[in-house]
Amino acid sequence: MNDVEGVKGTLVTGVIGEDVHIIGIRIVEHALRNAGFRVASLGAQVSQEEFIEAAVETNAHAILVSSLGGHASILLPGLREKCYEAGLKDILLYLGGQLIIGQGRWEESEKTFKDMGFDRVYPPDVRLSQVIENLETDLKGREHKP
């Protein structure tokens, strides 16, 4: 799993689409680095293609997408398929934030994004310790091919 001794994995992070809400992902990135992950931060207003290019370039284990503007259901369809096309068949996809405007039941929102191919989907109030624990569990024992 590890590219470098002592590093738990390489992660690509960013905020999808026109969204400029950067504070949440910065807090997540800080926690991930402190937990031993290498983080390639793309910042705000990131396209699907930029996430994929960065994941290929860094040999990433996971892509973590943030969205606070509520447009994730419009901006994220097809991401898993584009990952496959780019040779990222084993990459983990995580998503978190305020994903849908007028969000109804969380279970419905979570299902929507899992059906798109996301491995984990988080509400805005997720504890960072939960995300880190999930990453460690999901990455443990996975074969990662450079």
Side-chain angles (χ1 to χ4, degrees):
M1 172 184 70
N2 299 339
D3 295 333
V4 176
E5 193 65 35
V7 174
K8 293 181 180 178
T10 300
L11 314 173
V12 172
T13 63
V15 182
I16 189 74
E18 77 287 345
D19 199 336
V20 296
H21 297 93
I22 196 84
I23 294 171
I25 195 66
R26 292 291 188 232
I27 293 168
V28 171
E29 292 165 352
H30 179 75
L32 292 168
R33 285 186 183 102
N34 284 343
F37 292 95
R38 178 183 301 124
V39 177
S41 174
L42 301 180
Q45 298 184 317
V46 181
S47 69
Q48 287 189 18
E49 292 74 19
E50 289 170 308
F51 276 110
I52 292 167
E53 288 169 15
V56 169
E57 186 176 303
T58 64
N59 191 28
H61 298 88
I63 295 173
L64 283 74
V65 179
S66 175
S67 179
L68 198 62
H71 299 123
S73 62
I74 298 166
L75 298 168
L76 289 169
L79 179 60
R80 176 58 77 187
E81 291 77 12
K82 289 177 186 169
C83 286
Y84 287 151
E85 291 169 9
L88 300 171
K89 293 181 180 13
D90 297 323
I91 198 157
L92 291 171
L93 292 180
Y94 278 37
L95 173 64
Q98 184 65 41
L99 306 176
I100 298 174
I101 295 174
Q103 200 164 341
R105 290 185 42 231
W106 172 249
E107 295 78 17
E108 293 171 12
S109 296
E110 182 180 34
K111 181 180 179 335
T112 295
F113 295 104
K114 284 197 170 189
D115 288 349
M116 284 184 202
F118 281 87
D119 297 286
R120 302 276 184 169
V121 183
Y122 300 102
D125 61 349
V126 66
R127 292 177 188 241
L128 293 179
S129 59
Q130 182 66 56
V131 177
I132 291 166
E133 181 181 313
N134 291 153
L135 270 167
E136 290 171 345
T137 299
D138 291 349
L139 289 173
K140 191 174 190 171
R142 284 177 74 100
E143 186 174 334
H144 184 67
K145 298 175 178 82

